[in-house]
Structures are given as structure tokens and as C-alpha cells.
Coordinates of all heavy atoms in Angstrom, one line a residue:
M706 N -5.4 -27.8 -42.2 CA -5.2 -27.7 -40.7 C -6.5 -27.7 -40.0 O -7.4 -27.0 -40.3 CB -4.4 -26.4 -40.4 CG -3.8 -26.4 -39.1 SD -2.8 -24.9 -38.9 CE -3.8 -24.0 -37.7
T707 N -6.6 -28.6 -39.0 CA -7.8 -28.6 -38.2 C -7.8 -27.7 -37.0 O -6.8 -27.7 -36.3 CB -8.0 -30.1 -37.6 OG1 -7.9 -31.0 -38.7 CG2 -9.4 -30.2 -37.0
P708 N -8.8 -26.8 -37.0 CA -8.8 -25.9 -35.8 C -8.9 -26.6 -34.5 O -9.3 -27.7 -34.4 CB -10.1 -25.0 -36.1 CG -10.6 -25.4 -37.4 CD -10.0 -26.7 -37.8
A709 N -8.5 -25.9 -33.5 CA -8.6 -26.4 -32.1 C -10.1 -26.6 -31.8 O -10.9 -26.1 -32.6 CB -7.9 -25.5 -31.1
V710 N -10.4 -27.1 -30.7 CA -11.7 -27.2 -30.2 C -12.4 -25.9 -30.2 O -11.8 -24.9 -29.7 CB -11.8 -27.9 -28.8 CG1 -13.2 -27.9 -28.3 CG2 -11.2 -29.3 -28.8
R711 N -13.6 -25.8 -30.8 CA -14.3 -24.5 -30.9 C -15.6 -24.6 -30.1 O -16.1 -25.6 -29.8 CB -14.4 -24.1 -32.3 CG -13.1 -24.0 -33.1 CD -13.3 -23.5 -34.4 NE -14.2 -24.3 -35.2 CZ -14.8 -24.0 -36.3 NH1 -14.6 -22.8 -36.8 NH2 -15.6 -24.8 -36.9
C712 N -16.2 -23.4 -30.0 CA -17.5 -23.3 -29.3 C -18.6 -23.9 -30.1 O -18.4 -24.2 -31.3 CB -17.8 -21.9 -29.0 SG -18.1 -20.9 -30.4
E713 N -19.7 -24.1 -29.5 CA -20.9 -24.7 -30.2 C -21.4 -23.9 -31.3 O -22.1 -24.4 -32.2 CB -22.0 -25.0 -29.2 CG -21.7 -26.0 -28.1 CD -22.9 -26.1 -27.1 OE1 -23.9 -25.5 -27.3 OE2 -22.6 -26.7 -26.1
A714 N -21.2 -22.6 -31.3 CA -21.8 -21.7 -32.3 C -21.0 -21.7 -33.6 O -21.4 -21.1 -34.6 CB -21.9 -20.2 -31.7
A715 N -19.8 -22.3 -33.6 CA -19.0 -22.3 -34.8 C -19.6 -23.2 -35.8 O -19.8 -24.4 -35.5 CB -17.6 -22.7 -34.4
H716 N -19.9 -22.7 -37.0 CA -20.5 -23.5 -38.0 C -19.4 -24.5 -38.6 O -18.2 -24.0 -38.7 CB -21.0 -22.6 -39.2 CG -21.8 -23.4 -40.2 ND1 -21.2 -24.1 -41.2 CD2 -23.1 -23.5 -40.3 CE1 -22.2 -24.6 -41.9 NE2 -23.4 -24.3 -41.4
P717 N -19.7 -25.7 -38.9 CA -18.7 -26.6 -39.4 C -17.9 -26.1 -40.6 O -16.7 -26.4 -40.8 CB -19.5 -27.9 -39.7 CG -20.7 -27.8 -38.9 CD -21.0 -26.4 -38.7
D718 N -18.6 -25.3 -41.4 CA -17.9 -24.8 -42.6 C -17.2 -23.5 -42.4 O -16.5 -23.0 -43.2 CB -19.0 -24.5 -43.7 CG -19.6 -25.8 -44.2 OD1 -18.9 -26.9 -44.1 OD2 -20.7 -25.8 -44.7
D719 N -17.3 -23.0 -41.2 CA -16.7 -21.7 -40.8 C -15.3 -22.1 -40.2 O -15.3 -22.7 -39.1 CB -17.5 -20.9 -39.8 CG -16.9 -19.6 -39.4 OD1 -15.7 -19.4 -39.8 OD2 -17.6 -18.9 -38.7
R720 N -14.2 -21.8 -40.8 CA -12.9 -22.3 -40.4 C -12.3 -21.3 -39.4 O -11.2 -21.6 -38.9 CB -12.0 -22.4 -41.6 CG -12.6 -23.3 -42.7 CD -12.7 -24.7 -42.2 NE -11.3 -25.3 -42.0 CZ -10.6 -25.8 -42.9 NH1 -10.9 -25.8 -44.1 NH2 -9.4 -26.3 -42.6
T721 N -12.9 -20.2 -39.0 CA -12.2 -19.3 -38.2 C -12.2 -19.8 -36.7 O -13.1 -20.5 -36.3 CB -13.0 -17.9 -38.2 OG1 -14.3 -18.1 -37.8 CG2 -12.9 -17.3 -39.6
P722 N -11.1 -19.4 -36.0 CA -11.0 -19.9 -34.6 C -11.9 -19.0 -33.7 O -12.3 -17.9 -34.1 CB -9.5 -19.6 -34.3 CG -9.1 -18.5 -35.2 CD -9.9 -18.7 -36.5
C723 N -12.1 -19.5 -32.5 CA -12.8 -18.7 -31.5 C -12.1 -17.5 -31.1 O -10.8 -17.4 -31.2 CB -13.1 -19.6 -30.2 SG -14.4 -20.8 -30.4
E724 N -12.8 -16.5 -30.7 CA -12.2 -15.3 -30.1 C -12.7 -15.2 -28.6 O -13.9 -14.8 -28.4 CB -12.6 -14.0 -30.9 CG -11.9 -14.0 -32.2 CD -12.2 -12.8 -33.1 OE1 -12.9 -11.9 -32.5 OE2 -11.9 -12.8 -34.2
G725 N -11.9 -15.6 -27.7 CA -12.3 -15.5 -26.3 C -13.1 -16.7 -25.9 O -13.4 -17.6 -26.7
P726 N -13.5 -16.8 -24.6 CA -14.2 -17.9 -24.1 C -15.7 -17.8 -24.5 O -16.2 -16.8 -24.9 CB -14.1 -17.7 -22.6 CG -14.0 -16.2 -22.4 CD -13.2 -15.8 -23.6
P727 N -16.5 -18.9 -24.3 CA -17.9 -18.8 -24.6 C -18.5 -17.8 -23.7 O -18.2 -17.7 -22.5 CB -18.4 -20.2 -24.1 CG -17.3 -21.1 -24.4 CD -16.0 -20.3 -24.0
A728 N -19.3 -16.9 -24.2 CA -19.8 -15.7 -23.5 C -21.3 -15.5 -23.6 O -21.8 -14.8 -22.8 CB -19.0 -14.4 -24.0
V729 N -21.9 -16.1 -24.6 CA -23.3 -15.9 -24.8 C -24.0 -17.2 -25.2 O -23.4 -18.1 -25.6 CB -23.6 -14.8 -25.9 CG1 -23.0 -13.5 -25.5 CG2 -23.0 -15.3 -27.2
T730 N -25.4 -17.1 -25.1 CA -26.2 -18.2 -25.6 C -27.1 -17.6 -26.7 O -27.6 -16.5 -26.5 CB -27.1 -18.8 -24.5 OG1 -26.3 -19.4 -23.5 CG2 -28.1 -19.8 -25.1
V731 N -27.1 -18.2 -27.9 CA -27.9 -17.8 -29.0 C -29.1 -18.7 -29.1 O -28.9 -20.0 -29.2 CB -27.1 -17.7 -30.3 CG1 -28.1 -17.3 -31.5 CG2 -26.0 -16.7 -30.2
R732 N -30.3 -18.2 -29.2 CA -31.5 -19.1 -29.3 C -32.2 -18.7 -30.6 O -32.4 -17.5 -31.0 CB -32.4 -18.8 -28.1 CG -33.7 -19.7 -28.1 CD -34.6 -19.3 -27.0 NE -34.0 -19.5 -25.7 CZ -34.5 -19.1 -24.6 NH1 -35.6 -18.4 -24.6 NH2 -33.8 -19.3 -23.4
D733 N -32.6 -19.7 -31.4 CA -33.3 -19.5 -32.6 C -34.8 -19.5 -32.4 O -35.3 -19.7 -31.3 CB -32.8 -20.4 -33.7 CG -33.3 -21.8 -33.5 OD1 -34.2 -22.1 -32.7 OD2 -32.8 -22.7 -34.2
L734 N -35.6 -19.3 -33.5 CA -37.0 -19.2 -33.4 C -37.6 -20.5 -32.8 O -38.7 -20.5 -32.2 CB -37.6 -19.0 -34.8 CG -37.7 -17.5 -35.2 CD1 -38.3 -17.4 -36.6 CD2 -38.6 -16.7 -34.2
L735 N -37.0 -21.6 -33.0 CA -37.5 -22.9 -32.6 C -37.1 -23.2 -31.2 O -37.5 -24.3 -30.6 CB -37.0 -24.0 -33.5 CG -37.4 -23.8 -35.0 CD1 -36.8 -24.9 -35.8 CD2 -38.9 -23.8 -35.1
G736 N -36.3 -22.4 -30.6 CA -35.9 -22.6 -29.2 C -34.6 -23.3 -29.0 O -34.2 -23.6 -27.9
S737 N -34.0 -23.7 -30.1 CA -32.7 -24.3 -30.0 C -31.6 -23.3 -29.5 O -31.6 -22.2 -29.9 CB -32.2 -24.8 -31.4 OG -33.1 -25.7 -31.9
E738 N -30.8 -23.8 -28.6 CA -29.8 -22.9 -28.0 C -28.4 -23.4 -28.2 O -28.2 -24.6 -28.1 CB -30.0 -22.8 -26.5 CG -31.3 -22.0 -26.1 CD -31.3 -21.8 -24.6 OE1 -30.6 -22.4 -23.9 OE2 -32.2 -20.9 -24.2
V739 N -27.5 -22.5 -28.5 CA -26.1 -22.9 -28.5 C -25.3 -21.8 -27.7 O -25.7 -20.7 -27.7 CB -25.5 -23.0 -29.9 CG1 -26.1 -24.2 -30.6 CG2 -25.6 -21.8 -30.7
T740 N -24.3 -22.3 -27.1 CA -23.4 -21.4 -26.4 C -22.1 -21.1 -27.2 O -21.6 -22.1 -27.7 CB -23.0 -22.0 -25.0 OG1 -24.3 -22.1 -24.3 CG2 -22.1 -21.1 -24.2
G741 N -21.7 -19.9 -27.3 CA -20.5 -19.7 -28.1 C -19.8 -18.4 -27.7 O -20.2 -17.6 -26.9
C742 N -18.6 -18.2 -28.3 CA -17.8 -17.0 -28.2 C -18.5 -15.9 -28.9 O -19.4 -16.1 -29.7 CB -16.4 -17.3 -28.7 SG -16.3 -17.4 -30.5
V743 N -18.0 -14.7 -28.6 CA -18.6 -13.5 -29.3 C -18.5 -13.6 -30.8 O -19.5 -13.3 -31.5 CB -18.0 -12.2 -28.7 CG1 -18.3 -11.0 -29.6 CG2 -18.4 -12.0 -27.3
H744 N -17.4 -14.0 -31.3 CA -17.1 -14.0 -32.7 C -18.1 -15.0 -33.4 O -18.8 -14.6 -34.4 CB -15.7 -14.5 -32.9 CG -15.3 -14.8 -34.3 ND1 -15.2 -13.8 -35.3 CD2 -15.1 -16.0 -35.0 CE1 -14.9 -14.4 -36.4 NE2 -14.8 -15.7 -36.3
H745 N -18.2 -16.2 -33.0 CA -19.0 -17.2 -33.7 C -20.5 -16.9 -33.4 O -21.4 -17.2 -34.2 CB -18.6 -18.6 -33.3 CG -17.3 -19.0 -33.9 ND1 -16.3 -19.5 -33.1 CD2 -16.9 -19.0 -35.2 CE1 -15.3 -19.8 -33.9 NE2 -15.7 -19.5 -35.2
A746 N -20.8 -16.4 -32.2 CA -22.2 -16.1 -31.9 C -22.7 -15.0 -32.8 O -23.9 -15.1 -33.2 CB -22.3 -15.7 -30.4
A747 N -21.9 -14.0 -33.1 CA -22.3 -12.9 -33.9 C -22.6 -13.4 -35.3 O -23.5 -13.1 -36.0 CB -21.2 -11.8 -34.0
R748 N -21.7 -14.3 -35.8 CA -21.9 -14.9 -37.1 C -23.1 -15.8 -37.2 O -23.9 -15.7 -38.2 CB -20.7 -15.8 -37.5 CG -19.5 -14.9 -37.9 CD -18.2 -15.7 -38.0 NE -17.2 -14.9 -38.7 CZ -16.5 -15.3 -39.8 NH1 -16.7 -16.5 -40.2 NH2 -15.6 -14.5 -40.3
M749 N -23.4 -16.5 -36.1 CA -24.6 -17.3 -36.1 C -25.8 -16.5 -36.0 O -26.8 -16.7 -36.7 CB -24.5 -18.3 -34.9 CG -25.9 -19.0 -34.6 SD -25.7 -20.3 -33.5 CE -25.3 -21.6 -34.5
Y750 N -25.8 -15.4 -35.2 CA -26.9 -14.5 -35.0 C -27.3 -13.9 -36.4 O -28.4 -13.8 -36.7 CB -26.5 -13.4 -34.0 CG -27.6 -12.5 -33.6 CD1 -28.3 -12.7 -32.4 CD2 -28.0 -11.5 -34.4 CE1 -29.3 -11.9 -32.0 CE2 -29.0 -10.6 -34.0 CZ -29.7 -10.8 -32.8 OH -30.7 -10.0 -32.4
A751 N -26.3 -13.5 -37.1 CA -26.5 -12.9 -38.4 C -27.1 -13.8 -39.4 O -27.7 -13.4 -40.4 CB -25.2 -12.3 -39.0
S752 N -27.0 -15.1 -39.2 CA -27.4 -16.1 -40.1 C -28.8 -16.7 -39.7 O -29.4 -17.5 -40.5 CB -26.4 -17.3 -40.2 OG -25.1 -16.8 -40.5
L753 N -29.3 -16.4 -38.6 CA -30.6 -17.0 -38.1 C -31.7 -16.0 -38.4 O -31.5 -14.8 -38.5 CB -30.5 -17.3 -36.6 CG -29.6 -18.4 -36.2 CD1 -29.5 -18.4 -34.6 CD2 -30.1 -19.7 -36.7
E754 N -32.9 -16.6 -38.4 CA -34.1 -15.8 -38.5 C -34.7 -15.6 -37.1 O -34.9 -16.6 -36.4 CB -35.1 -16.5 -39.4 CG -35.8 -15.6 -40.4 CD -36.7 -16.4 -41.3 OE1 -36.2 -17.2 -42.1 OE2 -37.9 -16.3 -41.1
G755 N -34.8 -14.4 -36.7 CA -35.4 -14.1 -35.4 C -34.7 -14.6 -34.2 O -35.2 -15.1 -33.3
P756 N -33.3 -14.4 -34.2 CA -32.5 -15.0 -33.1 C -32.6 -14.1 -31.9 O -33.0 -12.9 -31.9 CB -31.1 -14.9 -33.7 CG -31.1 -13.8 -34.6 CD -32.5 -13.7 -35.2
R757 N -32.3 -14.7 -30.7 CA -32.2 -13.9 -29.5 C -30.8 -14.3 -28.9 O -30.3 -15.4 -29.1 CB -33.3 -14.4 -28.5 CG -34.7 -14.2 -29.0 CD -35.1 -12.8 -29.2 NE -35.0 -11.9 -28.0 CZ -36.1 -11.7 -27.2 NH1 -37.2 -12.3 -27.5 NH2 -35.9 -11.0 -26.2
V758 N -30.2 -13.3 -28.2 CA -28.9 -13.6 -27.7 C -28.9 -13.2 -26.2 O -29.5 -12.2 -25.8 CB -27.8 -12.9 -28.4 CG1 -28.0 -11.4 -28.5 CG2 -26.4 -13.2 -27.9
Y759 N -28.4 -14.1 -25.3 CA -28.3 -13.8 -23.9 C -26.9 -14.0 -23.4 O -26.2 -14.9 -23.8 CB -29.2 -14.9 -23.2 CG -30.6 -14.9 -23.7 CD1 -31.0 -15.8 -24.7 CD2 -31.6 -14.0 -23.2 CE1 -32.3 -15.8 -25.2 CE2 -32.9 -14.0 -23.7 CZ -33.2 -14.9 -24.6 OH -34.5 -15.0 -25.1
P760 N -26.5 -13.1 -22.5 CA -25.1 -13.2 -22.0 C -25.1 -14.4 -20.9 O -26.0 -14.7 -20.3 CB -24.9 -11.9 -21.3 CG -26.3 -11.4 -20.9 CD -27.2 -12.0 -22.0
L761 N -23.9 -15.0 -20.9 CA -23.7 -16.0 -19.8 C -23.3 -15.2 -18.5 O -22.8 -14.0 -18.6 CB -22.5 -16.9 -20.2 CG -22.8 -17.9 -21.4 CD1 -21.6 -18.7 -21.6 CD2 -24.0 -18.7 -21.1
P762 N -23.4 -15.8 -17.4 CA -23.0 -15.1 -16.2 C -21.6 -14.7 -16.2 O -20.7 -15.4 -16.7 CB -23.2 -16.2 -15.1 CG -24.2 -17.2 -15.7 CD -24.0 -17.1 -17.2
G763 N -21.4 -13.4 -15.9 CA -20.0 -12.8 -15.9 C -19.7 -12.2 -17.2 O -18.6 -11.7 -17.4
H764 N -20.6 -12.3 -18.2 CA -20.3 -11.7 -19.5 C -21.5 -10.8 -19.9 O -22.0 -10.8 -21.0 CB -20.1 -12.8 -20.6 CG -19.0 -13.7 -20.3 ND1 -17.7 -13.3 -20.7 CD2 -18.9 -14.9 -19.7 CE1 -16.9 -14.3 -20.4 NE2 -17.5 -15.2 -19.8
D765 N -21.8 -9.9 -19.0 CA -23.0 -9.1 -19.2 C -23.0 -8.2 -20.4 O -24.1 -8.0 -21.0 CB -23.2 -8.1 -18.0 CG -23.6 -8.9 -16.7 OD1 -24.0 -10.0 -16.9 OD2 -23.5 -8.3 -15.6
G766 N -21.9 -7.7 -20.9 CA -21.8 -6.9 -22.1 C -21.8 -7.7 -23.4 O -21.9 -7.1 -24.4
A767 N -21.6 -9.0 -23.3 CA -21.3 -9.8 -24.5 C -22.5 -9.8 -25.4 O -22.3 -9.8 -26.6 CB -20.8 -11.2 -24.1
A768 N -23.7 -9.9 -24.9 CA -24.8 -10.1 -25.7 C -25.0 -8.8 -26.6 O -25.3 -8.9 -27.8 CB -26.1 -10.3 -24.9
L769 N -24.8 -7.7 -26.1 CA -24.9 -6.4 -26.8 C -23.8 -6.4 -27.9 O -24.0 -5.9 -29.0 CB -24.7 -5.2 -25.9 CG -25.1 -3.9 -26.5 CD1 -26.5 -3.9 -27.1 CD2 -24.9 -2.8 -25.4
T770 N -22.6 -6.8 -27.5 CA -21.5 -6.9 -28.5 C -21.8 -7.8 -29.7 O -21.6 -7.4 -30.8 CB -20.2 -7.4 -27.8 OG1 -19.9 -6.6 -26.7 CG2 -19.0 -7.4 -28.8
V771 N -22.4 -8.9 -29.4 CA -22.8 -9.9 -30.4 C -23.9 -9.2 -31.3 O -23.8 -9.3 -32.5 CB -23.4 -11.2 -29.8 CG1 -24.1 -12.0 -30.9 CG2 -22.2 -12.0 -29.2
Y772 N -24.8 -8.6 -30.7 CA -25.9 -8.0 -31.4 C -25.4 -6.9 -32.4 O -25.7 -6.9 -33.6 CB -26.9 -7.3 -30.5 CG -28.0 -6.6 -31.2 CD1 -29.1 -7.2 -31.8 CD2 -28.0 -5.2 -31.3 CE1 -30.1 -6.6 -32.5 CE2 -28.9 -4.5 -32.0 CZ -30.0 -5.2 -32.6 OH -30.9 -4.5 -33.2
R773 N -24.5 -6.1 -31.9 CA -23.9 -5.0 -32.7 C -23.1 -5.6 -33.8 O -23.1 -5.1 -35.0 CB -23.1 -4.0 -31.8 CG -24.0 -3.1 -31.0 CD -23.2 -2.1 -30.2 NE -24.0 -1.2 -29.5 CZ -23.6 -0.6 -28.4 NH1 -22.4 -0.8 -27.9 NH2 -24.5 0.2 -27.8
C774 N -22.2 -6.5 -33.5 CA -21.4 -7.2 -34.5 C -22.2 -7.8 -35.6 O -21.9 -7.6 -36.8 CB -20.5 -8.3 -33.9 SG -19.0 -7.7 -33.2
A775 N -23.3 -8.4 -35.2 CA -24.2 -9.1 -36.2 C -24.8 -8.2 -37.2 O -25.1 -8.6 -38.4 CB -25.3 -9.9 -35.5
Q776 N -24.9 -6.9 -36.9 CA -25.5 -6.0 -37.8 C -24.6 -5.7 -39.0 O -25.0 -5.2 -40.0 CB -25.8 -4.6 -37.1 CG -26.6 -4.7 -35.8 CD -27.9 -5.5 -36.0 OE1 -28.7 -5.3 -36.8 NE2 -28.0 -6.6 -35.1
T777 N -23.3 -6.0 -38.8 CA -22.3 -5.7 -39.9 C -21.9 -7.0 -40.6 O -21.1 -6.9 -41.5 CB -21.1 -5.1 -39.3 OG1 -20.4 -6.1 -38.5 CG2 -21.4 -3.9 -38.4
I778 N -22.5 -8.1 -40.3 CA -22.1 -9.4 -40.9 C -23.2 -9.9 -41.8 O -24.4 -9.9 -41.4 CB -21.9 -10.4 -39.8 CG1 -20.7 -10.0 -38.9 CG2 -21.5 -11.8 -40.4 CD1 -20.5 -10.9 -37.7
R779 N -22.8 -10.4 -43.0 CA -23.8 -11.0 -43.9 C -24.2 -12.4 -43.4 O -23.3 -13.1 -42.8 CB -23.2 -11.1 -45.3 CG -23.2 -9.8 -46.0 CD -22.5 -10.0 -47.4 NE -21.2 -10.5 -47.3 CZ -20.8 -11.7 -47.6 NH1 -21.6 -12.6 -48.1 NH2 -19.5 -12.0 -47.5
P780 N -25.4 -12.9 -43.7 CA -25.7 -14.3 -43.3 C -24.7 -15.2 -44.0 O -24.4 -15.0 -45.1 CB -27.1 -14.5 -43.8 CG -27.7 -13.1 -43.9 CD -26.5 -12.2 -44.2
F781 N -24.3 -16.2 -43.2 CA -23.4 -17.3 -43.7 C -22.2 -16.7 -44.4 O -21.8 -17.1 -45.5 CB -24.2 -18.2 -44.7 CG -25.4 -18.8 -44.0 CD1 -26.7 -18.3 -44.3 CD2 -25.2 -19.9 -43.2 CE1 -27.8 -18.9 -43.6 CE2 -26.3 -20.4 -42.5 CZ -27.6 -19.9 -42.8
C782 N -21.6 -15.6 -43.8 CA -20.5 -14.9 -44.4 C -19.3 -15.8 -44.7 O -18.5 -15.5 -45.6 CB -20.1 -13.8 -43.4 SG -19.6 -14.4 -41.8
W783 N -19.2 -16.9 -44.0 CA -18.0 -17.8 -44.2 C -18.0 -18.5 -45.5 O -17.0 -19.0 -46.0 CB -17.9 -18.8 -43.0 CG -19.2 -19.6 -42.9 CD1 -19.5 -20.7 -43.5 CD2 -20.2 -19.4 -41.9 NE1 -20.8 -21.2 -43.1 CE2 -21.2 -20.4 -42.1 CE3 -20.4 -18.4 -41.0 CZ2 -22.4 -20.4 -41.4 CZ3 -21.6 -18.4 -40.2 CH2 -22.5 -19.4 -40.4
L784 N -19.2 -18.5 -46.2 CA -19.3 -19.3 -47.4 C -18.5 -18.7 -48.6 O -18.1 -19.3 -49.5 CB -20.8 -19.4 -47.9 CG -21.6 -20.3 -47.0 CD1 -23.1 -20.3 -47.5 CD2 -21.1 -21.7 -46.9
E785 N -18.2 -17.4 -48.5 CA -17.5 -16.7 -49.6 C -16.1 -16.3 -49.2 O -15.5 -15.6 -49.9 CB -18.3 -15.4 -50.0 CG -19.6 -15.8 -50.7 CD -20.5 -14.6 -51.0 OE1 -19.9 -13.5 -51.1 OE2 -21.7 -14.8 -51.2
E786 N -15.7 -16.7 -48.0 CA -14.4 -16.3 -47.6 C -13.3 -17.2 -48.2 O -12.1 -16.8 -48.2 CB -14.3 -16.4 -46.1 CG -15.0 -15.3 -45.4 CD -14.9 -15.3 -43.9 OE1 -14.4 -16.4 -43.4 OE2 -15.2 -14.4 -43.2
G787 N -13.6 -18.3 -48.7 CA -12.7 -19.2 -49.3 C -11.8 -19.9 -48.2 O -12.0 -19.7 -47.1
A788 N -10.9 -20.7 -48.7 CA -10.0 -21.4 -47.7 C -9.1 -20.5 -47.1 O -8.6 -19.5 -47.7 CB -9.2 -22.5 -48.5
Q789 N -8.8 -20.7 -45.8 CA -7.9 -19.9 -45.1 C -6.7 -20.7 -44.6 O -6.9 -21.8 -44.2 CB -8.6 -19.3 -43.9 CG -9.6 -18.2 -44.3 CD -10.2 -17.5 -43.1 OE1 -9.7 -17.6 -42.0 NE2 -11.2 -16.8 -43.3
Ligands
LIG136 ZN1 -16.3 -19.6 -31.1

């Protein structure tokens, strides 16, 4: 089953759907930026080296939520979840 359109932060191998609208921008060490929902942004944040996360306008608390979620997520956690 192909998931519906997802945010930019969703890894192609990560089959989970978005949770909520795009709420944050995640930037990596090289300055690449992607905009994503809290769920996928947290997973991406946990998988990057030296990431930064910024809230989108109207989502002031989202960056902190992503940061806190990412502390509990292993890098590339979707690799061991198997098919869903
Ligand atoms: Zn998403």
C-alpha cells in the first residue's frame, strides 16, 4: 500500500504516515533544509549529525516537541521496524 503524500522529512524507506501538518524545518550540518511534520522531523532529527530544528510560523512549540521526541528515537529507527 502506498502512503498518501507525505512531508519532505519522511524518509523513502520510512513507511509511517505523517502526523499533523508540516510544522518545522530541519537543517543539517551542510545547510540542507527540509520541512516536515513533527513525527517525521523528529525521526530525521534523530538520524542527522548536528541537526537544527526551527518552527514554522504558527507552530512555535513544534521545534521543542521535535527536539524532545528525537531524544527517544534511535537513528534510522525505521530500518528495523519491518513491513507495516
Ligand atoms: Zn511527515
